[in-house]
Amino acid sequence: MNQAKILQLLVADNLVSDPDSARGRLLREAARLFREKGYERTTVRDLAAAVGIQSGSLFHHFRTKEEILKAVMVETIRLNTAVMRAAIDAADSNREKLRALVSAELESINGQTGEAMAVLVFEWRSLSEVSQVEVLKLRDIYETLWLDVLSALKEEGALLADPFVVRRLLTGALSWTVTWYRPERGGLTQDALTDEVIAMLGLSPS
Amino acid sequence: MNQAKILQLLVADNLVSDPDSARGRLLREAARLFREKGYERTTVRDLAAAVGIQSGSLFHHFRTKEEILKAVMVETIRLNTAVMRAAIDAADSNREKLRALVSAELESINGQTGEAMAVLVFEWRSLSEVSQVEVLKLRDIYETLWLDVLSALKEEGALLADPFVVRRLLTGALSWTVTWYRPERGGLTQDALTDEVIAMLGLSPS
DNA sequence: TTACATACCAAGCGCTTGCTTGGTATTGTC
DNA sequence: GACAATACCAAGCAAGCGCTTGGTATGTAA
C-alpha cells in the first residue's frame, strides 16, 4: 500500500483534509509558511494571500490562527502514523521493520510532508498547553510503533542499548536531517542515508 | 582547565559578558525566556521585567531586540568553542577526543548553558539573514573541531561512515536531548548517556 | 565645582497583529 | 424557482508590539 492510497483512505474517513479542497490547500500553504518563517512571523494576512483570499475569510474555515497550526500537526501525525503502520506490516523480521521505520520517517521528513513535519518539530511551543496535550496523545500512538519494534530487537539480543534512549537519539538524528539533507542536490540518496543510520545503530549480527 | 576558568579568560578578553554585570544578567534571563516561550512570544517588556527595569531602558544596552538574541547566540558559541577545544586538548587518542566532544556537548546542552544552546537550535530563523551569516561563521569554527576528530578516526579505520553525515546525525541526536533528558529526575547519568551515544556510533575495535 | 557619561524612568507614538462585523455572491437541495 | 447554507469581501477595531523621546539620578574625573 503506497502513501497515496493511505491518504485516500484517511480522507474518506475525514481524518485528513482532501489536499484539493480549500481547507487542504490552506493547510499545505500554512505548513510551507510556518516552516519558512515560523508560526509567529507568519500573519493571517500572509496565510490568506497564499490561497488568494482576504484575511478575514480565513476565520470561516478556522476559528483561530492556532487552530490552523494544530490542524497541520494533527493531520500530519495521522497520515504518518498510518504510513508507518503500513511500513511495519509489510516487513517480516524485526530488523526489516526497523529499516522500514527509519526509511519511512526519513521520507516523511524529507518528502511531501516534510514541511509539516518540520513544523511539528520546531513550532511545538506555539501551541497552547491544551492543544499540546492533545497532539501529544497522537504522538504517543506513533511512538509506540517504534518502541514495539525496538523492544523486540532488544529481546532478540540484536539491540544492546535501551530502546527508549535509542528512539530518542534517533528522533533527534532523523528530525535534524530536515536542516541539512538535500537529496535533490546530489550526494546521498535517501536509501544510502537509511543505510548510514542503520549502520550507526550498530545492531549485532544475527 | 574547567569551564569557570575558561569563562574568566573569555570575559577578560571581552568576548563574553561577565555573568554578574547588568548585560550578563540580561542575557541569561533572555536565554531563559527565549527558550521557555520562544523569541517572538517574549516581549521587550518581559525581558525588562525579568531584570527589574523599564522596557525602554533595554535599549541603552542593545539597539534592537534582535541584537539581544544574537548576543545570546554569539556568546554561547564562543564559550562552547573554547570549552570544546580544551576538552580535545586534554585527551590523547582520537577515540578519547571523540568521547570528550560528546561529553562536552551533552554538558553544554544540558548544563549551565543549556537554555542558550536550546535558543541556538530553535530560534535560528528569528535572526535576520545578515545575522544568520555572521553566527554561521562562528558555528563553522566549532564544527571544524568535530570534523577534524571524526576525519582522523575515519583515516584510522575506526569510523566507517562518512564523517560529515555522522556529525550531522550526532548534532540532531545530541541537540534533541534537550527536549527529553532530565538527569535530575534520576535514571541515566550524563556519563551513561555519553556511553550510549558512543556505543551507538559503533566504532570498530582498535 | 564643573563637566560629562552612564543607567535608568515615565510616557507614549506609530504600526501591526489577530479577529469581528455586516454584507454580498455562489452553490447545493428539494 | 425558492431558500438556506456556504464561501467570501471590505472595512476596521482593540490590543499589543518594538522602539523613541525628554528627562532625572548617580558616579567619575579634572
Side-chain angles (χ1 to χ4, degrees):
Chain A
M1 186 141 64
N2 61 6
Q3 190 163 337
K5 188 83 188 179
I6 293 170
L7 176 60
Q8 228 176 314
L9 289 174
L10 290 172
V11 169
D13 286 352
N14 244 332
L15 291 171
V16 166
S17 305
D18 183 348
D20 292 330
S21 70
R23 183 186 157 102
R25 252 178 295 122
L26 173 60
L27 289 181
R28 195 170 58 240
E29 290 300 315
R32 216 199 71 231
L33 286 167
F34 289 162
R35 165 162 183 202
E36 189 182 312
K37 321 184 4 168
Y39 172 77
E40 310 285 350
R41 293 176 100 92
T42 303
T43 68
V44 293
R45 287 164 180 82
D46 292 335
L47 291 169
V51 290
I53 59 175
Q54 292 296 105
S55 68
S57 307
L58 276 185
F59 296 90
H60 282 270
H61 300 281
F62 298 91
R63 266 173 310 174
T64 63
K65 183 188 169 193
E66 197 214 329
E67 202 171 284
I68 300 177
L69 176 63
K70 187 168 144 193
V72 167
M73 292 183 170
V74 166
E75 298 204 358
T76 305
I77 296 179
R78 281 187 186 145
L79 176 58
N80 278 296
T81 304
V83 168
M84 293 283 162
R85 213 187 294 272
I88 289 180
D89 289 348
D92 292 324
S93 70
N94 284 318
R95 277 159 192 280
E96 282 172 26
K97 285 181 201 289
L98 178 61
R99 199 185 191 282
L101 280 175
V102 171
S103 177
E105 191 154 302
L106 279 172
E107 171 61 26
S108 77
I109 288 167
N110 298 287
Q112 296 278 355
T113 60
E115 276 153 353
M117 288 293 282
V119 169
L120 205 43
V121 171
F122 288 104
E123 305 301 333
W124 186 250
R125 274 166 322 173
S126 296
L127 279 184
S128 70
E129 281 191 41
V130 178
S131 299
Q132 282 189 21
V133 171
E134 216 173 313
V135 173
L136 205 57
K137 269 184 202 155
L138 289 177
R139 280 198 94 152
D140 278 347
I141 301 171
Y142 179 93
E143 290 300 316
T144 304
L145 293 178
W146 274 89
L147 286 175
D148 286 349
V149 172
L150 287 170
S151 297
L153 282 166
K154 172 92 175 178
E155 272 189 34
E156 284 176 13
L159 183 70
L160 298 176
D162 181 322
F164 289 90
V165 174
V166 169
R167 170 54 187 154
R168 282 169 160 158
L169 290 173
L170 261 182
T171 303
L174 297 180
S175 307
W176 196 246
T177 59
V178 85
T179 67
W180 61 270
Y181 179 55
R182 294 281 174 278
E184 72 277 11
R185 288 204 206 142
L188 219 54
T189 66
Q190 208 159 286
D191 243 32
L193 181 55
T194 305
D195 287 338
E196 296 253 26
V197 173
I198 293 290
M200 195 182 72
L201 283 177
L203 296 193
S204 60
S206 52
Chain B
M1 184 141 65
N2 60 5
Q3 190 164 339
K5 188 85 189 177
I6 294 170
L7 176 59
Q8 228 176 315
L9 288 174
L10 290 172
V11 168
D13 285 352
N14 243 333
L15 290 171
V16 166
S17 305
D18 183 348
D20 293 330
S21 69
R23 184 186 157 103
R25 252 179 296 121
L26 173 60
L27 289 181
R28 195 170 57 240
E29 290 299 315
R32 215 199 71 233
L33 286 167
F34 289 163
R35 159 151 190 212
E36 188 182 311
K37 322 187 358 170
Y39 172 76
E40 311 284 351
R41 293 175 100 93
T42 303
T43 68
V44 293
R45 288 164 181 84
D46 292 334
L47 292 169
V51 290
I53 58 174
Q54 291 296 106
S55 67
S57 306
L58 276 185
F59 296 90
H60 283 270
H61 301 282
F62 298 91
R63 265 174 310 174
T64 63
K65 182 187 168 193
E66 197 214 329
E67 202 170 283
I68 300 177
L69 176 62
K70 187 167 143 193
V72 168
M73 292 183 170
V74 166
E75 297 203 358
T76 304
I77 296 180
R78 281 187 186 144
L79 177 57
N80 278 295
T81 304
V83 168
M84 294 283 162
R85 214 187 293 273
I88 289 181
D89 289 349
D92 292 325
S93 69
N94 284 318
R95 278 160 191 279
E96 282 172 25
K97 285 181 201 290
L98 178 61
R99 198 184 191 285
L101 280 176
V102 171
S103 177
E105 191 154 301
L106 279 172
E107 171 61 26
S108 77
I109 288 168
N110 298 286
Q112 296 277 354
T113 60
E115 275 153 353
M117 287 294 281
V119 170
L120 205 43
V121 171
F122 288 104
E123 305 302 331
W124 186 250
R125 274 167 321 173
S126 297
L127 280 183
S128 70
E129 282 192 39
V130 178
S131 298
Q132 282 189 22
V133 170
E134 218 173 313
V135 174
L136 205 57
K137 268 185 203 154
L138 289 176
R139 280 199 94 151
D140 278 346
I141 300 172
Y142 179 93
E143 290 300 316
T144 304
L145 294 178
W146 274 90
L147 286 174
D148 285 350
V149 171
L150 287 170
S151 297
L153 282 166
K154 172 93 177 176
E155 273 190 34
E156 284 177 13
L159 183 70
L160 299 176
D162 182 317
F164 289 91
V165 174
V166 169
R167 170 54 188 154
R168 282 170 159 159
L169 291 173
L170 262 182
T171 303
L174 297 180
S175 307
W176 196 246
T177 59
V178 86
T179 68
W180 60 271
Y181 179 54
R182 295 281 174 278
E184 72 278 11
R185 287 203 206 142
L188 220 53
T189 67
Q190 208 158 287
D191 243 32
L193 180 56
T194 305
D195 288 337
E196 296 253 25
V197 173
I198 294 290
M200 195 181 71
L201 283 178
L203 296 195
S204 60
S206 53

